Amino acid sequence: MPRLVVIGPEGSFERELEAHTSIGRHPNNTVQVLDRIVSKEHCHIDWVDGRWLLRDLGSLNGTFVNGERVRERVLQHGDEITLGATRVLVQLDEQAALPSVRPPVREPAPAAAPPPVPAPWTGGVVTGGVASVGGVGGPGARVTIAPGMVESHIRTKLQPLLDQQFLPAHLVHDIEALRRDYEKLRASYEVSRAIGVELDRDRLFAKVLETTFQLLPADRGVVLLYDEKGELVPRCVRTRKPLPEGESVVLSTTILNEVVRDRAAVLSSDASMDARFSGAHSIIMQGIRSTMAVPLLHQGELFGVLVLDSQIAANAFTEKDLQLLQTIAHQAAIALQNAAFARKLEQEAITRERFQRLLSPAIAEQVISGRVEVKKWGELRETTVLFSDIRGFTSMTERSSARDIVEMLNEYFERMVEIIFRHEGTLDKFVGDEIMALFGAPVSHPDDPYRAVKTALEMMVALEDLNRQRVAAGGEPLKIGIGINTGEVVAGYLGSSKALEYTVIGDPVNTGARLCSLARAGEIIISEHTYARVRDHFDVIELQPTPVKGKAQPLKIYSVQRERPRVHAGDLTRPV
């Protein structure tokens, strides 16, 4: 069977000739040739009128047969086709059956696989991956990070630009140094003017690339950023011309690794011939002739990499351009850090507001500052739980307007929460007219049970004052019952990814709620566990053991009467 023997830098292989055989750099060709100066679709060989006809498809670097450049040539057995640095030997077996004449057929391109998730970056190595990102290349423009085929070898590099330092005018004597400083200042000014106070990272990247294209002769630009998993992923792409459908911007892991490992800028005058990148598969595939890649680095923190390339000329970029791009990347890194700080401040404000609704200001500040850790996934904590609700609330709602009920509850809750916060308790939630408060989560004190019972007594006193005002205004008085229990609970965030609340769960919580339902109007009932912790500080009346749903044995319960006098109100060890 007629066949081709392909001999190139990567070795040799054979392919049978088909009625229509395409040769080029793109993988959709019948014969793929990984050679930097071979066009994506370089030439065709067709079976026409009983002969093998070679046609050049207008390739930039030409097709040669036996050393002669041709546009069209009938091939003979033993001919040698030259495409760049690749030789193709034609072997026609005249005894073999030749293919019948049929329309050119090309293997269908494989269906696009879903973008693979890049493996985590470790030890300075960037792994492969495909991503669709926004940019001037078109919404959803694809960027592929492809592995290189050789290890890189350091030749030269530009060290990171840690600080912009400029000499005073009277010390500048070198006109070239002055020009370089001017270019740095110009780049910094243009980038700063473009990005302004932009805090959205995607819009920030788009503006950085837009400004970069105005200052440098690049064909394509990509911003890659580390995500929360430590993976280097594309975030924005820009091209001077729209990408053909189905094509993507291919970035070489060999070049990216050079930047990441040494945190240094890389300039390659002709990437596919550079000693560091020779043989890199992704570079050959797209014929990248000039590449610049610089780290997005500020104050020792590496945010990502900025890559520019040109497919037009081997010397499209100079070292001056690299210095300019490094300045741009430095400004972009500063903007990234500012955006990160802004997001952190915004999140802290949200966190502060959330905890200030649940905790006393002093405790909320400890949580926000990190002095007290709130574990998202929960932890076991001994906590005293306080429940209170208004007796006869349902019938009250039937006799009053909705507006009056809301105003009454707001006034009532305002006074009760103030007392809870005064004793450094946590407001867990409001459920209708019910209040649930915690003592011991997220911040614990050695006397949390005492604080909870003390809070309950003060709530009753505050309610008496509120009722005097309500009666004087023609309203009816409120009556509440309170239940308190102490035990080990699971404390942490509970909810969905969009709505989380800090709370506690466990049997002690259920028991506390049932004690509240047992309490009569004006009564504070505590469990045996709570009583054991406060027995020296309060006068109580032991009540008849009471069966409670979910408990095999009746519970010992106590009704709190008053706090015992003490020498110093803050000294819990010296009751009279």
Side-chain angles (χ1 to χ4, degrees):
M1 188 69 183
R3 63 187 183 276
L4 302 176
V5 180
V6 182
I7 304 171
E10 303 298 321
S12 62
F13 60 90
E14 294 186 5
R15 288 288 185 274
E16 291 185 358
L17 274 171
E18 300 178 8
H20 173 76
T21 299
S22 62
I23 304 175
R25 200 175 70 244
H26 198 278
N28 283 351
N29 288 286
T30 312
V31 179
Q32 184 185 16
V33 177
L34 293 177
D35 192 311
R36 70 176 184 86
I37 63 173
V38 172
S39 300
K40 292 183 179 180
E41 292 190 359
H42 198 96
C43 62
H44 288 171
I45 300 176
D46 295 302
W47 179 246
V48 180
D49 298 331
R51 301 178 301 172
W52 292 105
L53 183 64
L54 169 69
R55 292 192 181 95
D56 181 82
L57 300 178
S59 62
L60 179 64
N61 295 294
T63 302
F64 296 81
V65 177
N66 302 326
E68 179 186 352
R69 183 165 184 168
V70 300
R71 299 288 301 211
E72 187 172 297
R73 172 70 65 89
V74 175
L75 296 175
Q76 305 294 329
H77 179 75
D79 282 347
E80 180 178 297
I81 305 170
T82 303
L83 313 170
T86 301
R87 297 160 55 216
V88 180
L89 304 181
V90 181
Q91 296 187 356
L92 305 179
D93 187 350
E94 297 179 358
Q95 304 299 321
L98 297 178
S100 58
V101 177
R102 53 188 171 92
V105 176
R106 180 175 297 179
E107 290 288 333
V117 178
W121 170 76
T122 57
V125 177
V126 182
T127 55
V130 181
S132 295
V133 292
V136 181
R142 287 167 59 87
V143 176
T144 303
I145 303 177
M149 302 179 73
V150 295
E151 294 294 328
S152 63
H153 301 284
I154 298 176
R155 186 187 68 186
T156 57
K157 57 180 178 285
L158 192 60
Q159 293 301 324
L161 183 63
L162 300 178
D163 295 293
Q164 294 278 16
Q165 296 181 349
F166 302 97
L167 293 173
H170 67 278
L171 296 179
V172 177
H173 305 292
D174 184 351
I175 189 65
E176 289 303 317
L178 186 60
R179 290 179 184 275
R180 288 193 298 270
D181 286 349
Y182 171 78
E183 283 299 297
K184 292 177 184 178
L185 287 171
R186 183 171 74 97
S188 296
Y189 170 74
E190 292 294 340
V191 175
S192 298
R193 187 177 68 169
I195 61 181
V197 291
E198 183 61 69
L199 299 180
D200 181 88
R201 290 194 298 182
D202 291 330
R203 288 197 296 266
L204 171 64
F205 300 149
K207 290 179 178 179
V208 168
L209 285 179
E210 180 181 359
T211 306
T212 301
F213 272 51
Q214 294 172 1
L215 297 173
L216 294 166
D219 293 324
R220 304 177 304 185
V222 180
V223 176
L224 302 101
L225 199 67
Y226 283 110
D227 63 11
E228 63 277 1
K229 297 179 182 179
E231 300 171 4
L232 191 63
V233 296
R235 290 298 300 267
C236 188
V237 59
R238 181 184 177 91
T239 60
R240 287 202 184 274
K241 297 179 181 179
L243 290 175
E245 186 175 356
E247 285 196 16
S248 64
V249 176
V250 179
L251 302 181
S252 170
T253 57
T254 313
I255 296 177
L256 293 177
N257 285 335
E258 183 80 13
V259 177
V260 170
R261 181 174 54 251
D262 297 330
R263 297 194 171 194
V266 169
L267 166 63
S268 178
S269 297
D270 191 331
S272 56
M273 295 300 290
D274 193 307
R276 288 172 295 171
F277 313 124
S278 60
H281 180 279
S282 59
I283 299 175
I284 294 172
M285 278 293 298
Q286 290 204 351
I288 300 171
R289 300 180 66 89
S290 295
T291 302
M292 292 193 295
V294 297
L296 295 171
L297 185 68
H298 181 56
Q299 293 183 342
E301 182 175 358
L302 182 63
F303 296 97
V305 180
L306 172 59
V307 181
L308 295 184
D309 67 48
S310 171
Q311 295 180 293
I312 297 176
N315 295 300
F317 302 129
T318 65
E319 186 169 330
K320 176 183 174 182
D321 293 329
L322 185 63
Q323 292 176 346
L324 196 61
L325 183 62
Q326 192 177 47
T327 300
I328 294 171
H330 183 67
Q331 290 294 114
I334 293 174
L336 269 174
Q337 191 171 69
N338 290 339
F341 285 156
R343 288 194 304 273
K344 182 179 179 181
L345 290 174
E346 182 181 5
Q347 188 59 45
E348 284 185 356
I350 295 173
T351 303
R352 186 183 301 276
E353 180 184 9
R354 180 183 300 163
F355 278 109
Q356 283 178 342
R357 293 175 181 272
L358 303 177
L359 308 172
S360 67
I363 299 300
E365 190 59 40
Q366 291 185 51
V367 173
I368 294 167
S369 65
R371 294 195 299 273
V372 174
E373 181 182 7
V374 179
K375 296 183 179 179
K376 180 176 181 180
W377 305 118
E379 60 179 334
L380 289 174
R381 300 185 70 98
E382 183 180 84
T383 303
T384 300
V385 186
L386 180 153
F387 285 90
S388 75
D389 65 9
I390 299 174
R391 298 294 180 255
F393 180 74
T394 301
S395 60
M396 185 181 299
T397 59
E398 295 173 353
R399 298 190 301 270
S400 306
S401 67
R403 181 173 181 177
D404 289 341
I405 291 297
V406 170
E407 288 182 356
M408 178 271 292
L409 284 176
N410 283 339
E411 186 177 13
Y412 164 73
F413 286 148
E414 185 74 28
R415 298 192 182 208
M416 299 301 112
V417 171
E418 182 180 350
I419 297 169
I420 294 170
F421 284 176
R422 185 187 307 148
H423 293 284
E424 298 189 348
T426 301
L427 175 64
D428 187 291
K429 61 175 67 71
F430 299 124
V431 182
D433 62 309
E434 182 183 75
I435 297 174
M436 176 180 172
L438 313 174
F439 294 82
V443 179
S444 61
H445 307 85
D447 60 340
D448 281 320
Y450 169 83
R451 291 170 184 258
V453 179
K454 179 72 171 176
T455 296
L457 287 171
E458 291 187 11
M459 289 171 68
M460 290 297 186
V461 173
L463 184 64
E464 292 178 2
D465 181 63
L466 175 62
N467 282 335
R468 282 193 291 271
Q469 296 180 24
R470 286 181 56 80
V471 171
E476 60 180 303
L478 303 178
K479 300 175 182 180
I480 65 172
I482 297 177
I484 301 174
N485 185 35
T486 302
E488 196 171 64
V489 299
V490 177
Y493 287 105
L494 188 68
S496 70
S497 59
K498 297 184 181 297
L500 287 172
E501 65 173 10
Y502 183 82
T503 189
V504 295
I505 55 176
D507 182 67
V509 180
N510 301 330
T511 300
R514 293 186 180 113
L515 295 182
C516 180
S517 64
L518 293 175
R520 295 171 298 179
E523 188 173 35
I524 302 170
I525 292 182
I526 64 176
S527 69
E528 182 180 14
H529 299 293
T530 303
Y531 172 68
R533 301 286 297 276
V534 301
R535 61 192 307 163
D536 295 333
H537 309 294
F538 299 96
D539 290 330
V540 302
I541 297 176
E542 183 174 355
L543 302 177
Q544 192 72 20
T546 303
V548 174
K549 182 179 179 182
K551 297 291 183 181
Q553 300 295 328
L555 293 182
K556 287 186 176 181
I557 57 176
Y558 304 82
S559 175
V560 179
Q561 303 301 299
R562 65 187 65 82
E563 183 178 10
R564 293 177 184 173
R566 57 191 67 253
V567 176
H568 298 291
D571 185 353
L572 306 184
T573 64
R574 301 177 60 189
V576 175

